[in-house]
Amino acid sequence: MTPNQALETQPVIARSPGYWHGVIKRFSRNHVAMGALIVILGLILMAVFAAYIAPADPIKGSMLRRLKPIGTPGFPLGADELGRDMLSRLIYGARLSLLMGLSPVPIAFVIGSLLGITAGYVGGLTNSLIMRTIDVFYAFPSVLLAVALSGALGAGLTNALISITLVFIPPITRVAESVTTQVRGLDYIDAARASGASSYTIIRVHILGNVLGPIFVYATGLVSVSMILASGLSFLGLGVRPPDPEWGLMLNTLRTAIYTQPLVAALPGAMIFLTSIAFNIVADGLRGAMDVKS
Amino acid sequence: MILYTLKRFALTIPVAIGVSVVCFLLVHIAPGDPLTAVLPTDASAELQAQMRSLYGFDKPLPVQYGLWIWRVLHGDLGQSIATGRPVVSEVFNAVINSIIVAAAATSIGFLAGGILGIVAGYYQNTWIDRLASIISSLGVSVPHYWLGIVLVIIFSVQLGWLPATGGGPGGSGNRSLDWAYLQFLVLPAITMSVIPMGIIARSVRALVGEILTQDFVQALAAKGLTDRKVFQHVLKNAAPTAFAVMGLQLGYLLGGSILIETVFSWPGTGFLLNAAIFQRDLPLLQGTILVLAMFFVILNLLVDLLQSLIDPRVQRS
């Protein structure tokens, strides 16, 4: 590395921890958001160590123990319609539910940012081509598009994941494009170009550094929607297939039990609600901490 | 205004064409031959070829699209494989049912969300504001299909006040303006209203807060108008955007109600889509999605035009 390059990159490296330090500090002062973050970490740990925490097998049941109420000895949260331990199934259910809810957003974030930043930076025909295509997909209500795609592709975990990812690409691309277009028009980009910075440097330092934050905050806000949508697809029978434990699917198969064990039947949905609201609160906290205007 | 309307129309046409292409291609991304759903598995090669040319599957894709869109524009969406009835009539009846419940839900959501948002915006950073923001957060993060089940448990199973599922008395499907019919509407509409309520409350709060900081509000107060009169001016300024948000929410609900309609066995488009998917009834799937998506596109256009009619400043942006 020549001394000249070192001089150029050093200030950027020195400044960035300062910003993130501030974000972490502001976020940790927000007690509600910290509480929600702890809930999420707890859920993730629960998913990872399900095999050690769960008291019973989540798949094996017994017809003799069907639909036991909450508090039955040996079944702290009751038993489901096939006599399987609800507590164990809810713990194991975190694996598939979190996987399905969480993974579409980062993938859509990468693809959407790539498309949106390209469209915003290059402009012209490329912009029109990308954005008009995105407009078409944006013209579908999100739930309808997810159901239509996974319905056409056929039920299953992979197809459900593909559908949800495709649903989130258009809104992320739109945000990325509008932020990039705004930043591109600012004076300091012209200044950087005038001082001889290459396109690569401008994109890497000046564009990415300023647009990724807002896109990231927007994408975190989608996680809670993604959780609801993913479990919703399983609820419809388009995602995870029985007997695998997944909260949305469990909610569906327990629907027949609302007359006999209403509390047990409502449990899986309560888990989806808890997860979705925790992600929503964390996303709000992050927006505040990163000082991004919505 | 006329120029703006024309411009807005011109922008909608390519989107509408794109939407129709996506709906057309849906059938082609489906795994397997689209004919397998129509033909018995042991059909002879001769019969298969005959059916292929009958349905036009032997032609190149763009030609197939052309033929398909020509039929669609003449009101022919094909025939349902499961029932053999024309898709158009099946979709038409379901769309009306969906519009009924979505319109009821949007009205409830707009009323509750509007009041919540106005109060929160007017008394910003007080406990009322915080309560309103908690309610609207809960509204947008609750899995609505679960909320529906919880409401059924409370109001149908435990209290026995309202029917748990169905689209009318005795499954007749006859719509009437009496309690016998309307009681079936209550729970689905309330469940569905939670989503627009949260979103409308949030946007109205932001709107009212923003308008209150504008100079004209201060000027009105300085002129000596009572708080109530000033408030009327604030509401007048917030209304166009609030109505635009409401219009879009109606469209979202219409297309996104599939989960709630499934919970309540409400005979709308969501219910139809569900049936189409599991019976692999591709023409029905394609037709329903096309109608819903087009409805959404047209609604978007109408909302924009109405908004510019109420507030001509929109045209300039």
Side-chain angles (χ1 to χ4, degrees):
Chain A
M1 190 185 277
T2 65
N4 197 16
Q5 268 178 315
L7 265 180
E8 225 179 65
T9 45
Q10 210 165 22
V12 177
I13 293 165
R15 205 168 49 233
S16 44
Y19 172 70
W20 284 106
H21 189 76
V23 169
I24 292 167
K25 213 165 115 187
R26 278 192 294 274
F27 189 87
S28 59
R29 272 202 220 110
N30 184 344
H31 297 300
V32 181
M34 279 305 279
L37 186 66
I38 290 169
V39 169
I40 291 172
L41 291 177
L43 287 168
I44 292 173
L45 286 176
M46 187 172 98
V48 173
F49 296 108
Y52 300 97
I53 310 168
D57 189 303
I59 311 270
K60 215 160 40 185
S62 157
M63 281 302 159
L64 295 174
R65 305 185 305 239
R66 285 176 59 198
L67 290 173
K68 290 275 182 246
I70 291 175
T72 309
F75 297 94
L77 291 181
D80 75 356
E81 79 286 358
L82 294 174
R84 298 171 292 196
D85 179 38
M86 273 303 279
L87 177 63
S88 305
R89 278 182 74 74
L90 287 174
I91 293 173
Y92 270 98
R95 287 188 170 175
L96 283 169
S97 298
L98 286 177
L99 174 82
M100 283 186 69
L102 282 178
S103 47
V105 179
I107 303 170
F109 172 71
V110 172
I111 299 173
S113 303
L114 215 67
L115 286 172
I117 294 172
T118 310
Y121 187 74
V122 179
L125 187 68
T126 315
N127 180 299
S128 306
L129 217 65
I130 294 176
M131 295 320 289
R132 293 299 81 78
T133 313
I134 289 296
D135 278 352
V136 169
F137 285 93
Y138 200 75
F140 289 87
S142 52
V143 181
L144 179 69
L145 186 59
V147 170
L149 285 171
S150 53
L153 288 169
L157 181 68
T158 323
N159 287 343
L161 284 179
I162 294 172
S163 312
I164 303 168
T165 310
L166 282 174
V167 166
F168 287 138
I169 292 174
I172 293 179
T173 309
R174 278 195 150 195
V175 170
E177 192 258 358
S178 85
V179 181
T180 310
T181 312
Q182 263 170 37
V183 169
R184 197 186 60 147
L186 294 178
D187 288 341
Y188 69 81
I189 302 287
D190 288 336
R193 193 171 291 125
S195 63
S198 63
S199 273
Y200 172 74
T201 312
I202 293 177
I203 291 180
R204 192 177 61 96
V205 180
H206 302 291
I207 302 275
L208 283 188
N210 287 294
V211 302
L212 281 187
I215 308 172
F216 176 74
V217 166
Y218 179 74
T220 49
L222 291 178
V223 175
S224 112
V225 185
S226 175
M227 280 296 306
I228 296 178
L229 202 54
S231 289
L233 286 184
S234 290
F235 178 76
L236 285 178
L238 287 171
V240 176
R241 271 182 255 208
D244 287 342
E246 196 278 342
W247 297 332
L249 181 64
M250 290 166 69
L251 189 63
N252 184 17
T253 53
L254 277 165
R255 266 171 69 200
T256 45
I258 57 170
Y259 292 97
T260 43
Q261 293 297 344
L263 282 178
V264 175
L267 277 176
M271 293 301 291
I272 305 170
F273 189 21
L274 177 75
T275 318
S276 139
I277 195 145
F279 275 111
N280 211 339
I281 293 171
V282 168
D284 272 350
L286 209 59
R287 184 177 301 132
M290 288 176 70
D291 195 27
V292 174
K293 291 173 194 81
S294 55
Chain B
M1 185 63 211
I2 295 170
L3 198 73
Y4 179 78
T5 310
L6 286 176
K7 222 171 82 187
R8 201 53 196 73
F9 259 109
L11 282 173
T12 304
I13 290 166
V15 172
I17 294 173
V19 164
S20 72
V21 171
V22 171
C23 292
F24 169 74
L25 288 177
L26 265 182
V27 169
H28 292 268
I29 62 165
D33 195 325
L35 278 182
T36 48
V38 209
L39 285 172
T41 41
D42 56 348
S44 68
E46 203 177 311
L47 185 65
Q48 276 187 21
Q50 207 181 339
M51 288 300 273
R52 206 174 297 275
S53 71
L54 184 70
Y55 278 84
F57 287 134
D58 54 345
K59 297 186 179 67
L61 269 187
V63 177
Q64 283 190 42
Y65 171 76
L67 290 171
W68 175 72
I69 201 75
W70 184 253
R71 283 203 309 273
V72 169
L73 288 173
H74 287 82
D76 176 14
L77 289 169
Q79 274 177 357
S80 160
I81 289 169
T83 61
R85 280 201 294 256
V87 170
V88 174
S89 64
E90 302 248 333
V91 174
F92 182 74
N93 198 30
V95 163
I96 289 179
N97 280 329
S98 281
I99 289 178
I100 289 173
V101 72
T106 319
S107 314
I108 300 170
F110 185 73
L111 217 69
I115 293 171
L116 216 59
I118 290 168
V119 172
Y122 216 69
Y123 298 101
Q124 263 180 30
N125 300 319
T126 60
W127 67 270
I128 302 177
D129 182 22
R130 240 160 281 148
L131 182 74
S133 94
I134 290 172
I135 295 176
S136 63
S137 289
L138 289 176
V140 288
S141 24
V142 69
H144 39 274
Y145 39 95
W146 173 70
L147 181 70
I149 292 175
V150 170
L151 291 180
V152 165
I153 289 174
I154 296 172
F155 292 101
S156 307
V157 179
Q158 304 288 341
L159 297 170
W161 291 353
L162 295 160
T165 55
S172 56
N174 290 334
R175 290 178 280 266
S176 54
L177 258 178
D178 53 11
W179 180 241
Y181 172 72
L182 290 177
Q183 60 176 348
F184 286 90
L185 189 65
V186 177
L187 287 183
I190 289 178
T191 309
M192 225 183 260
S193 74
V194 168
I195 312 165
M197 186 195 74
I199 292 166
I200 288 166
R202 276 188 183 185
S203 14
V204 169
R205 178 192 181 273
L207 266 172
V208 169
E210 197 192 298
I211 292 166
L212 281 176
T213 62
Q214 282 177 17
D215 289 341
F216 83 90
V217 177
Q218 227 173 359
L220 289 174
K223 201 171 83 174
L225 286 190
T226 57
D227 279 358
R228 237 185 79 179
K229 283 275 177 212
V230 175
F231 189 62
Q232 276 177 8
H233 281 274
V234 172
L235 284 192
K236 240 187 206 162
N237 275 276
T241 317
F243 277 113
V245 174
M246 178 175 123
L248 291 186
Q249 285 304 314
L250 178 68
Y252 278 120
L253 287 190
L254 206 55
S257 57
I258 172 163
L259 286 153
I260 293 174
E261 287 185 3
T262 308
V263 169
F264 291 101
S265 304
W266 183 260
T269 49
F271 199 61
L272 201 63
L273 268 181
N274 210 356
I277 288 169
F278 290 102
Q279 293 164 342
R280 302 264 348 125
D281 193 340
L282 292 173
L284 187 60
L285 180 72
Q286 193 178 39
T288 313
I289 290 167
L290 181 74
V291 170
L292 285 176
M294 283 303 169
F295 201 92
F296 193 54
V297 170
I298 293 166
L299 199 69
N300 251 319
L301 176 71
L302 286 180
V303 165
D304 261 18
L305 292 180
L306 268 179
Q307 207 185 357
S308 78
L309 205 66
I310 303 171
D311 184 356
R313 284 173 300 180
V314 174
Q315 294 176 29
R316 268 180 263 138
S317 59

